[in-house]
Amino acid sequence: MLGLVATIKLFFRIVHATTFLQSFASDRRHMKNSNGNWIAPSPAHDPIVVDDDGSLYNLDEYIRMNAVDAVTQLQDDTISAVFTHKYGVLVSESQLEDFFSLLSLAFQDRANEVYKNIEDQKSTRGRNQDALLAACLYISCRQEDKPRTVKEIYSVANGATKKEIGQAKEYIVTGR
């Protein structure tokens, strides 16, 4: 028994929330016994059907995890796959920390792009740089379809008030 436990590996499926909400389907067949009777009372809401293709059930695809399907090497396209593949990516427990570091780098890269664009197109001289950087992070999160509130950005920003971040965001977006 000890040898079996030593060979078990944990895997995690990481799917972008918007993709999951648009793609997941369940007609509740997993909640019925082999005779088709409910194991527990049926939920009051309607079954979840995918609008795009009318799929009734794909829960098994989301919970099926085979080591051969796991990402072997984390790369930039791994992050992209989270946002573009219906079933996201499968990573091992040992890859989680590196995966989330890579994910945060994607947001940092996007924020850097936003900052470079405003630096190239507008004058940043005389403006609160901390507020501009925080606003760039705010905008990059929205662009990556992971919106955060100014209050959330403020909680991790240094040297800028919520008001300054809001003003910097308006300056970047409108030029005023």
Side-chain angles (χ1 to χ4, degrees), residues 76 79 98-112:
D76 290 339
I79 298 300
D98 291 338
F99 174 82
F100 287 114
S101 294
L102 190 61
L103 184 60
S104 69
L105 286 175
F107 285 104
Q108 289 174 25
D109 289 346
R110 177 67 73 131
N112 286 334

Side-chain angles (χ1 to χ4, degrees), residues 115 118 122-133 159 164 166-172 174-176:
Y115 185 78
I118 62 163
K122 301 176 181 181
S123 172
T124 58
R125 208 172 91 198
R127 301 211 170 256
N128 181 329
Q129 293 299 300
D130 292 326
L132 282 173
L133 292 170
E164 290 169 329
Q167 290 171 338
K169 174 184 68 93
E170 284 302 310
Y171 172 71
I172 294 168
T174 66
R176 292 185 246 132

Side-chain angles (χ1 to χ4, degrees), residues 133-142 148-150 153 165 169:
L133 292 170
C136 289
L137 181 58
Y138 172 88
I139 291 167
S140 71
C141 288
R142 295 189 79 73
R148 296 290 178 252
T149 64
V150 171
I153 298 298
I165 295 169
K169 174 184 68 93

Side-chain angles (χ1 to χ4, degrees), residues 22-39:
Q22 293 170 347
S23 305
F24 178 75
S26 175
D27 60 6
R28 302 189 182 120
R29 66 182 71 171
H30 65 285
M31 299 175 70
K32 295 181 178 182
N33 64 21
S34 58
N35 296 328
N37 298 318
W38 292 104
I39 297 169

